[in-house]
Amino acid sequence: MIDKIIPLEKNATQELKQKLVSYLPQITTIISQLTLGICVSFIFVWLQIPVGWLLGSMIGGIIYSAVRGKPQPLPKLFITVGKAFIALATAARFSWDTINVAATYAVPLLLCVLISGCLSLFHGYLLSRWSGIDRVTGLVAFIPGAASSIVPIAEEMGADAVAVAVFQYLRLLLVVLLIPSAAGFFFPVDLNNSMTMAIAPTVADNSSIPMWLNLILLGGCCIVGMWGGNRLRLPAAGFLGTFLVGLAVFWSCPYNLVVPQWLFALGLFCVGLSIGVKFDIKTANKLLKAVLIEIVLVISLILLCVGVGYEFHVFTHVDTITSLLGFTPGGLEAMVATVMQLGGDTGLVLAMQLTRMLIIIALGPWLVNFVMKVANSEQ
């Protein structure tokens, strides 16, 4: 009997070793990506660059993918957990006052969302016209926000899914890279103090609980939020699902829950690195002409959306940084993180960005099909 058990144990040990060996290259790759991302992020934080953990890790990821010559995506869990951590910090700053303010400005908000959406489609039309790619791909490539939702349905709409992925993530890279840097330059603040303020919850100042229990509750919010967001198929499920669960917990919990500063920074790091390592330099080279044109068009779109945001500020008297970041063409998590550090209204920026995202996800494909039908009828 013992002789039979010993061979079974040996076989199990060998299978375990074989599995570990098969996973070793992936583990080595992930460790290399994390190491490079941490090093670049520390440099960005040391240079006092806004959302340095986000931008630094993203640049580190781009460098890694460029050196390897192809995308090196991290397991999806990284970006999902990162979005969940950022969502917790956002929920800690959200209040009923924000909802009331958003409702007060519902009409100008919807009008500005409509204008920015039309500007995006117009830039997509220009991309297809100037670069020679098909019109559907150009229009879908410039649908702002929710890149992870747009890319999977691109092929169903008759677009080139690979090209759409490159254009969508390039747009996201440019927005995440340019907007926080520009905002930090024009609205300089003490980043250390602003980070501490960003994670302070808005609940009543009640007795605190031990940190280990605080972290367990936050972890439960993340798990339930990510699961619920996926089950309900919410846009940006990891972020929005955790945000809603976190909001319910923060508002109902009798204790003063705290989102630690390091947890927020870790969320930024995971999101930035996950975006950066998806950069496909080979596909970008094949679409070089279209990519160069898109860079110019994305910068143009950013400037126009900034103009829309400024007009919203003039009309509603909402503070400038909140208005400008509320209408940027994408990068929800980055814009929320940026407004946290720069002292704007985090909840209102989230409400503005989510309103735009939900409207575009609901109407974007329909608008693209409508534009294509109109174009075909004119030919």
Side-chain angles (χ1 to χ4, degrees):
M1 185 68 178
I2 296 176
D3 293 338
K4 292 181 179 180
I5 295 176
I6 292 176
L8 290 175
E9 291 180 348
K10 289 183 177 179
N11 291 335
T13 303
Q14 289 176 352
E15 290 179 2
L16 180 60
K17 287 182 179 179
Q18 290 175 354
K19 287 183 179 180
L20 290 176
V21 170
S22 65
Y23 286 125
L24 189 59
Q26 183 181 9
I27 294 173
T28 303
T29 298
I30 292 174
I31 293 175
S32 301
Q33 292 170 331
L34 293 175
T35 302
L36 181 58
I38 290 172
C39 291
V40 180
S41 296
F42 269 120
I43 294 174
F44 274 54
V45 172
W46 179 69
L47 293 174
Q48 290 281 295
I49 295 175
V51 285
W53 283 104
L54 179 76
L55 298 182
S57 59
M58 186 184 71
I59 296 299
I62 294 174
I63 294 172
Y64 189 88
S65 295
V67 171
R68 294 294 294 270
K70 60 180 180 180
Q72 302 287 321
L74 285 166
K76 190 177 180 180
L77 181 64
F78 276 83
I79 192 168
T80 304
V81 170
K83 289 180 178 181
F85 290 166
I86 297 174
L88 286 177
T90 306
R93 290 287 303 272
F94 208 83
S95 66
W96 281 109
D97 292 338
T98 300
I99 298 176
N100 293 331
V101 171
T104 302
Y105 301 128
V107 174
L109 175 59
L110 292 176
L111 181 61
C112 289
V113 167
L114 178 62
I115 293 173
S116 60
C118 291
L119 288 173
S120 299
L121 290 178
F122 177 67
H123 280 72
Y125 167 76
L126 293 179
L127 176 65
S128 65
R129 186 177 181 86
W130 292 346
S131 68
I133 63 174
D134 65 277
R135 188 166 297 176
V136 177
T137 300
L139 292 174
V140 175
F142 263 90
I143 295 179
S148 58
S149 300
I150 297 300
V151 172
I153 66 173
E155 194 168 359
E156 298 178 10
M157 298 172 63
D160 183 340
V162 175
V164 168
V166 171
F167 294 139
Q168 280 283 343
Y169 285 109
L170 179 60
R171 173 188 56 78
L172 181 60
L173 288 173
L174 289 172
V175 170
V176 172
L177 181 62
L178 295 177
I179 294 296
S181 301
F185 178 79
F186 288 106
F187 301 92
V189 295
D190 186 339
L191 296 181
N192 293 323
N193 290 337
S194 62
M195 175 69 81
T196 303
M197 293 175 59
I199 59 178
T202 56
V203 296
D205 186 15
N206 299 318
S207 58
S208 60
I209 59 176
M211 180 55 68
W212 63 269
L213 183 56
N214 182 97
L215 293 177
I216 289 176
L217 291 175
L218 294 181
C221 291
C222 291
I223 294 172
V224 175
M226 291 186 292
W227 176 82
N230 288 323
R231 291 283 293 180
L232 297 174
R233 296 185 178 181
L234 297 175
F239 181 89
L240 190 54
T242 305
F243 169 76
L244 294 174
V245 173
L247 203 61
V249 172
F250 282 128
W251 286 359
S252 61
C253 183
Y255 299 102
N256 187 12
L257 298 179
V258 176
V259 180
Q261 178 179 337
W262 59 263
L263 193 68
F264 179 56
L266 181 59
L268 296 178
F269 176 82
C270 290
V271 170
L273 188 61
S274 297
I275 293 173
V277 294
K278 289 181 180 178
F279 184 70
D280 189 350
I281 190 170
K282 287 185 177 179
T283 306
N285 287 334
K286 292 179 182 178
L287 300 168
L288 182 59
K289 178 182 177 182
V291 165
L292 293 176
I293 292 173
E294 193 203 11
I295 290 174
V296 175
L297 290 175
V298 168
I299 295 174
S300 169
L301 179 62
I302 289 173
L303 293 175
L304 289 172
C305 287
V306 166
V308 172
Y310 184 75
E311 290 301 320
F312 182 83
H313 156 71
V314 171
F315 186 80
T316 63
H317 302 294
V318 172
D319 66 278
T320 308
I321 190 64
T322 298
S323 299
L324 297 184
L325 294 178
F327 290 102
T328 54
L332 170 64
E333 295 83 8
M335 297 309 105
V336 168
T338 303
V339 76
M340 283 180 181
Q341 291 195 352
L342 298 182
D345 189 331
T346 307
L348 185 54
V349 168
L350 177 64
M352 295 162 72
Q353 287 280 352
L354 285 177
T355 301
R356 176 187 54 78
M357 179 188 296
L358 293 172
I359 290 176
I360 284 172
I361 288 176
L363 300 181
W366 178 84
L367 286 174
V368 171
N369 290 330
F370 175 76
V371 172
M372 290 303 301
K373 287 180 180 179
V374 172
N376 291 333
S377 65
E378 292 178 352
Q379 291 178 354

